[in-house]
Amino acid sequence: MIQGTKKVVLNKELIFSMISPYDIYKHFFGNFKLNVVTSNHLRGEKDPSFIIGTKYGEITHKDFGDEFWKGNCINLVQQIHRCDYMTALRIIDREFGLGIETTEIKDYRKIISEYKQPIIEEKKYSTV
């Protein structure tokens, strides 16, 4: 009889099964409205040139004033912490207390219950 626990591999799919990309943006970027241009307070900007929006059904961000700031929610964590992909996943796991690789488990449902998630619809473009 083999004893022990099954090793769980930390990956994007496992994290997204517990929390959404919107949750990650809300936690790490703060207050924002989807598809509305705002300023990137992460780089001390005052003028609006940053957007977190839905394109083809996925939430991504782009800073029109600095090409460094673009990508998905995991890229945002990488950009904020200046780290690699796996470290960003570990930071998300730790911050939300998901308990995937970290031993500290928080009630992440309480963290994400403070706001209502928007409905993200994939835009269907017609081909001409």
Side-chain angles (χ1 to χ4, degrees), residues 34-35 54 116-122:
L34 280 176
N35 301 315
T54 56
K116 183 179 178 195
Q117 293 212 18
I119 296 171
I120 300 168
E121 297 177 7
E122 182 176 345

Side-chain angles (χ1 to χ4, degrees), residues 65-116:
D66 186 348
E67 283 293 312
F68 174 77
W69 298 93
K70 67 178 179 180
N72 63 23
C73 59
I74 296 170
N75 298 131
L76 181 73
V77 175
Q78 287 180 273
Q79 293 153 4
I80 291 170
H81 292 281
R82 310 270 191 212
C83 64
D84 62 37
Y85 184 80
M86 284 307 295
T87 303
L89 294 179
R90 288 184 187 100
I91 290 169
I92 294 167
D93 178 29
R94 184 185 68 236
E95 290 282 321
F96 284 94
L98 301 177
I100 300 169
E101 277 194 355
T102 58
T103 54
E104 180 187 357
I105 299 175
K106 299 177 188 172
D107 186 7
Y108 62 88
R109 288 177 191 89
K110 187 175 181 181
I111 295 171
I112 65 176
S113 69
E114 298 172 1
Y115 52 84
K116 183 179 178 195

Side-chain angles (χ1 to χ4, degrees), residues 40-59:
N40 185 355
H41 64 276
L42 298 172
R43 67 176 181 97
E45 180 187 50
K46 301 279 189 249
D47 298 321
S49 67
F50 186 82
I51 189 165
I52 299 174
T54 56
K55 190 170 185 178
Y56 310 115
E58 182 181 354
I59 301 177

